[in-house]
Amino acid sequence: LGISNLLCGAEDFYETSTNMAVLNNVDHAELRYNPQFGSAFGDCANRMPLLPTEFAEAQRDHPILFAEQPDAGLIAVALLGLESGENLHFDGRNWGDAYIPALHRRGPFALQVQKDASGAAQDLLIDVDLNDARLGNDEGFPLFKPHGGNSEMLDLISSTLLTIFEGSEITAPFTDMLNELGLLVPAAIDVDLGDGRSIEIRDHMIIDAAAFQSLTASQLKQLNDAGFLVPTVHAMASVANIQRLIDRKTRGAAGA
């Protein structure tokens, strides 16, 4: 799933600074990871890709919308702000207690999937961008224990990458079924900031509650049998967070 086109001024960093290597406890025995936030790492993006495997956590904080991406097709996104380069959960230093999407939370790490002759996943390796400013031998959390085992930080990174892998596998079937059942409708978000300015957000879709309520028993069973009923409900419920995002925006505008 593509992410660079959703970032805020960090495109060059992500697209030109990569020096990927397979992470291992011999070459990278002393390597440390220092999680940091900032515009250089894309934290001011106003939306980020989401995977169905993280909807349960994301829906507590973020509206879950759907949008077409040139490099990924129809995907889910967390709406974080109402204007370009605006993440209303990010104060310039951290995200507070808001959920951070897995594709962003992974930092400079990525999963390399090795497949067998049949095309099935056979082995999963972790790649790391050694040019990333958050990596080094002096500061941060070690990735390996002194005798070579995975550290707690690396276990956390591995868990995030597994969420991404599993979610990426089901994203297309999930969105295909939403379309097939007629559950996606255009989202029209209009915000009056009260100072003569207004904001419109288009080119997104949401799961329509009325359409969901009209599903037949067999259609609900179809969703459930595919494992998509729960993420559908979570995405539908998350739409209420749009108003919370608007309130956060207008409070900030009033105090400006």
Side-chain angles (χ1 to χ4, degrees), residues 177 180-181 217-228:
M177 188 170 290
E180 177 187 338
L181 296 175
S218 62
Q219 289 173 323
L220 287 170
K221 184 176 186 301
Q222 181 184 358
L223 267 177
N224 190 56
D225 288 349
F228 299 153

Side-chain angles (χ1 to χ4, degrees), residues 113-141:
V113 182
Q114 296 187 328
K115 300 182 178 181
D116 60 23
S118 69
Q122 184 177 36
D123 199 9
L124 302 177
L125 303 175
I126 296 178
D127 287 343
V128 59
D129 178 7
L130 296 175
N131 284 355
D132 193 285
R134 293 165 288 189
L135 294 168
N137 293 337
D138 300 321
E139 298 181 357
F141 299 92

Side-chain angles (χ1 to χ4, degrees), residues 55-206:
F55 281 11
E57 295 174 281
Q59 60 90 25
R60 300 187 185 106
D61 298 312
H62 310 303
I64 299 174
L65 311 182
F66 296 83
E68 289 282 351
Q69 291 298 305
D71 52 356
L74 182 62
I75 65 168
V77 297
L79 186 64
L80 308 173
L82 301 175
E83 299 184 85
S84 178
E86 174 187 71
N87 178 352
L88 291 167
H89 300 279
F90 178 60
D91 65 4
R93 293 179 299 175
N94 59 64
W95 283 60
D97 58 359
Y99 179 78
I100 302 175
L103 276 162
H104 186 66
R105 193 171 69 245
R106 68 178 176 176
F109 303 93
L111 204 60
Q112 179 186 143
V113 182
Q114 296 187 328
K115 300 182 178 181
D116 60 23
S118 69
Q122 184 177 36
D123 199 9
L124 302 177
L125 303 175
I126 296 178
D127 287 343
V128 59
D129 178 7
L130 296 175
N131 284 355
D132 193 285
R134 293 165 288 189
L135 294 168
N137 293 337
D138 300 321
E139 298 181 357
F141 299 92
L143 295 176
F144 295 101
K145 295 179 179 179
H147 299 294
N150 290 358
S151 68
E152 290 184 8
M153 173 56 72
L154 187 52
D155 284 341
L156 184 62
I157 292 165
S158 299
S159 176
T160 297
L161 294 176
L162 187 59
T163 294
I164 293 170
F165 172 68
E166 293 174 345
S168 298
E169 292 286 292
I170 66 171
T171 290
F174 175 58
T175 55
D176 286 348
M177 188 170 290
L178 293 180
N179 270 324
E180 177 187 338
L181 296 175
L183 293 176
L184 293 174
V185 296
I189 303 173
D190 299 288
V191 183
D192 181 358
L193 296 179
D195 59 358
R197 293 190 302 139
S198 62
I199 297 170
E200 295 182 355
I201 295 180
R202 298 292 186 265
D203 302 323
H204 290 73
M205 291 175 284
I206 59 172

